[in-house]
Amino acid sequence: QKEVEQNSGPLSVPEGAIASLNCTYSDRVSQSFFWYRQYSGKSPELIMSIYSNGDKEDGRFTAQLNKASQYVSLLIRDSQPSDSATYLCAVNPHTDKLIFGTGTRLQVFP
Amino acid sequence: DTGVSQDPRHKITKRGQNVTFRCDPISEHNRLYWYRQTLGQGPEFLTYFQNEAQLEKSRLLSDRFSAERPKGSFSTLEIQRTEQGDSAMYLCASSLDRSEETQYFGPGTRLLVL
């Protein structure tokens, strides 16, 4: 079992729709969780961090964390073509390094 | 620009040559991380520093790889006797001085070994 698992996609959604990206992790002691966006050929850029169970909203983005189910998700409302990228889920299992999933490729079509 | 910077952005080398990459972290960040990313994969941890001390090294980091952060500011990653399998994006990240802090990534150095 991989430590952080994501569906590789592509996830295709029409412009204006809600995109839902999911991630599961294996280490129960993980305390901090991050979503990064990565455009092709570029480096990861932080979208959201979340540390507590529940929802955290920032503009069009909402991160959801359920530690009991070892599940973290990212919702993107009013998706735009510029949101088309790979979304990386990263977990810090309290070991001072990030463990990344393989990423989900999101395609937003006009 | 006060973000993480990396140099060079691209490097093409022949198999067997040595290469060195540099990373300058965000100025107030004490922690500096190196990751490697290959096509279709997420970044994989290589090593990290807290100030000048190298605190952890991944098993991915063979003895051909060495990293330094001599004055607790910039860091270098050297690969000796490069192999074609070393071709990847090498990413540097920095963070404040707690393990749960957000890591901010530089633009990366793309290495191609011919």
Side-chain angles (χ1 to χ4, degrees), chain A residues 32 34 36 38 41-44 46 49 51 88 92 94-98 100-102, chain B residues 31 33 35 37 40-43 45 48 56 89 91 99-100 102-103 105-107 110:
Chain A
S32 47
F34 305 88
Y36 288 84
Q38 188 171 31
K42 303 296 185 182
S43 65
L46 181 73
S49 60
Y51 304 96
L88 296 164
N92 185 333
H94 215 59
T95 58
D96 300 325
K97 61 179 180 275
L98 292 178
F100 284 85
T102 55
Chain B
R31 294 191 175 207
Y33 305 80
Y35 292 83
Q37 186 177 24
Q41 301 297 315
F45 171 80
Y48 94 96
E56 187 174 348
M89 172 84 90
L91 294 161
S99 61
E100 64 269 26
T102 298
Q103 296 181 23
F105 284 84
R110 187 172 294 281

Side-chain angles (χ1 to χ4, degrees), chain B residues 18-86:
Chain B
N18 300 342
V19 295
T20 299
F21 308 143
R22 175 178 170 130
C23 171
D24 287 85
I26 294 170
S27 59
E28 64 268 28
H29 285 181
N30 292 333
R31 294 191 175 207
L32 186 150
Y33 305 80
W34 286 99
Y35 292 83
R36 179 172 67 189
Q37 186 177 24
T38 54
L39 198 63
Q41 301 297 315
E44 294 177 296
F45 171 80
L46 292 179
T47 188
Y48 94 96
F49 294 84
Q50 182 168 323
N51 299 312
E52 65 275 8
Q54 188 173 17
L55 297 187
E56 187 174 348
K57 292 171 61 175
S58 165
R59 294 175 193 174
L60 292 175
L61 214 64
S62 77
D63 55 8
R64 297 186 296 107
F65 288 70
S66 62
E68 294 182 341
R69 194 182 182 196
K71 297 183 180 179
S73 56
F74 72 91
S75 175
T76 58
L77 177 69
E78 181 183 16
I79 309 174
Q80 296 182 327
R81 305 181 303 281
T82 52
E83 301 173 355
Q84 289 183 324
D86 297 331

Side-chain angles (χ1 to χ4, degrees), chain A residues 21-34:
Chain A
L21 304 160
N22 305 313
C23 171
T24 58
Y25 60 94
S26 61
D27 193 331
R28 287 190 169 274
V29 302
S30 300
Q31 294 296 319
S32 47
F33 307 84
F34 305 88

